[in-house]
Amino acid sequence: MPELPEVETIRSGLECVLPGKKVAAVEVRYPQAVKTPTAQELQEKLPGRTVNAVRRRGKYLQIFFNCGTVLVVHLRMTGRLLFSPAPQNWDKHTHVLFYFCDGSVLAFHDVRKFGTIYWLTPDRFSEIHGLHTLGPEPLSADFTACYLQEQAKRRKTSIKSLLLDQRVVAGLGNIYADEALHRAGIRPDRPATSLGAGEITALHRSIRAVLQEAICFRGTTMSDYRDAAGREGGFREHLRVYRRSGLPCPCCGQTIVRTVVGGRGTYFCPRCQR
DNA sequence: AGCAGGACCTGATGGC
DNA sequence: TGCCATCAGGTCCTGC
């Protein structure tokens, strides 16, 4: 599932190839993927626009055009944005195709069909509920241990659920929430309010460290994730707990346990995490 | 108000 | 072999 490190890897891949490219045509095969405007309008009006820049906010990718509009893409669980220098035989899971004037193509591919595409101007970002209400970027200066402590104090929920709430911090998903909690030595089902200042500091540091490391390894591929060039991420072998139930904790050797917290599959080490 | 759980989807997996 | 149930998870929506 693309979380912050995966979306950032896709972003950096697209940033290398897309700027300066002019859209020749758009082909929408699964119209429900386009939330704003209609699929038809996207196909009619996007051609002729040139890509300026590719940015990221949380798990949202933003492709800026020189006319001031932005294509916003959320990949949810199985979505991919694949860049190809030339057309290919696209399979049945390829739902939207952006053809550029130089013959290259950007393909939106999504087995589960949960991914969403918007095309609008930045002043209308508030129409995208999730983007509008996004918390601070975890790798920015806005995300401080102090801020995290404030959030943890005021919410009566588990610390893991807090980390998954995109309004609190943008971009963490199931993998990196579990990994950050393990590095910080905190059980995922602890009430957020029960964490001491030292634990919050450790958690804040762990979140940033695990995200930065995962970006260095170009993200985690469990099954579906691919970068813009179709390559898998390399962080899977560095995971300490996620989907490792029954295996030894790399820190202490204790067997990793799977539970459910806030309705999500959750992995932790009963010895390292208290 | 704030949280839990269902809906959205499809493919992989396991039981019978 | 084949059928069915279950699971996976990000976000929105509903209901408690």
Side-chain angles (χ1 to χ4, degrees):
Chain A
M1 337 73 265
E3 302 178 26
L4 189 153
E6 291 75 32
V7 179
E8 178 58 25
T9 301
I10 294 168
R11 188 210 63 79
S12 69
L14 294 178
E15 178 70 34
C16 291
V17 292
L18 290 191
K21 292 204 191 300
K22 188 176 180 179
V23 177
V26 179
E27 179 188 349
V28 180
R29 299 178 174 183
Y30 181 67
Q32 293 93 312
V34 182
K35 301 300 179 191
T36 305
T38 63
Q40 189 184 354
E41 203 174 329
L42 183 71
Q43 292 180 128
E44 286 171 0
K45 297 185 179 170
L46 187 60
R49 325 269 178 165
T50 300
V51 176
N52 250 352
V54 186
R55 298 184 197 152
R56 179 193 58 74
R57 180 77 175 91
K59 302 173 193 172
Y60 291 84
L61 260 167
Q62 304 171 331
I63 300 174
F64 285 74
F65 292 90
N66 60 357
C67 56
T69 62
V70 188
L71 193 75
V72 178
V73 180
H74 197 300
L75 300 169
R76 305 286 169 133
M77 268 96 68
T78 56
R80 301 176 183 175
L81 270 179
L82 300 165
F83 177 80
S84 163
Q88 300 179 10
N89 288 324
W90 310 106
D91 70 14
K92 64 172 180 173
H93 302 301
T94 303
H95 305 311
V96 184
L97 291 157
F98 301 90
Y99 300 96
F100 297 104
C101 292
D102 65 355
S104 60
V105 189
L106 181 67
F108 171 70
H109 180 283
D110 189 2
V111 169
R112 302 280 288 280
K113 295 183 173 174
F114 283 5
T116 48
I117 294 175
Y118 310 80
W119 182 48
L120 32 59
T121 47
D123 60 299
R124 292 176 55 209
F125 276 179
S126 61
E127 293 174 28
I128 307 174
H129 180 262
L131 180 60
H132 183 55
T133 54
L134 227 42
E137 284 292 320
L139 297 178
S140 77
D142 297 344
F143 181 64
T144 61
C146 234
Y147 165 83
L148 185 59
Q149 184 151 37
E150 277 300 306
Q151 295 293 315
K153 243 188 268 176
R154 89 159 91 134
R155 295 278 302 278
K156 203 162 186 165
T157 187
S158 69
I159 185 60
K160 170 157 177 176
S161 293
L162 188 82
L163 296 184
L164 290 178
D165 188 336
Q166 303 299 298
R167 296 170 300 181
V168 172
V169 57
L172 283 176
N174 214 26
I175 297 175
Y176 299 109
D178 279 5
E179 291 297 313
L181 285 164
H182 177 266
R183 287 175 184 230
I186 298 164
R187 279 178 64 113
D189 57 356
R190 289 262 304 276
T193 50
S194 75
L195 270 64
E199 290 176 312
I200 290 284
T201 303
L203 182 56
H204 172 260
R205 195 183 313 125
S206 298
I207 289 167
R208 292 165 77 112
V210 75
L211 292 176
Q212 260 152 359
E213 278 177 47
I215 290 170
C216 287
F217 285 94
R218 308 181 57 76
T220 301
T221 296
M222 298 309 297
S223 57
D224 293 287
Y225 167 70
R226 298 293 185 278
D227 72 8
R231 291 171 298 192
E232 298 190 357
F235 195 66
R236 183 177 183 166
E237 59 195 90
H238 299 274
L239 297 177
R240 300 184 187 176
V241 288
Y242 184 74
R243 292 228 192 149
R244 295 191 73 252
S245 47
L247 296 171
C249 169
C251 299
C252 76
Q254 177 81 294
T255 303
I256 305 292
V257 169
R258 180 187 187 275
T259 56
V260 175
V261 177
R264 299 281 166 70
T266 297
Y267 304 84
F268 72 98
C269 169
R271 186 180 295 166
C272 291
Q273 295 174 258
R274 302 286 176 172

